[in-house]
Amino acid sequence: MTPEDIIQLIIQKVEEGDPEVLSRISLVMKNRVLQKKEDLKEIEKILLANVPRR
């Protein structure tokens, strides 16, 4: 299967309301969002550590 075929199949399953596909997509997106939040917290710590104190 080509990547395009896989995407078409995923779209088809989402449109059908396939609960397994929907839950997997939700879990992946949730994990991505949580990872981004952690990344932003780390970047904020680095930036704050490099700001000269007055």
Side-chain angles (χ1 to χ4, degrees):
M1 282 184 105
T2 67
E4 291 81 7
D5 292 338
I6 294 169
I7 291 169
Q8 285 299 321
L9 183 58
I10 291 170
I11 291 170
Q12 179 184 343
K13 293 291 186 182
V14 169
E15 287 174 346
E16 292 171 1
D18 185 306
E20 186 177 343
V21 172
L22 290 172
S23 68
R24 177 63 64 164
I25 289 171
S26 297
L27 181 60
V28 169
M29 292 305 293
K30 180 181 175 188
N31 287 341
R32 235 183 237 175
V33 168
L34 292 174
Q35 185 61 47
K36 294 283 186 228
K37 286 171 90 176
E38 290 303 312
D39 290 345
L40 289 173
K41 286 179 188 173
E42 287 299 315
I43 292 168
E44 182 182 21
K45 285 180 195 173
I46 292 167
L47 292 174
L48 289 174
N50 290 324
V51 172
R53 304 278 188 247
R54 291 187 191 190

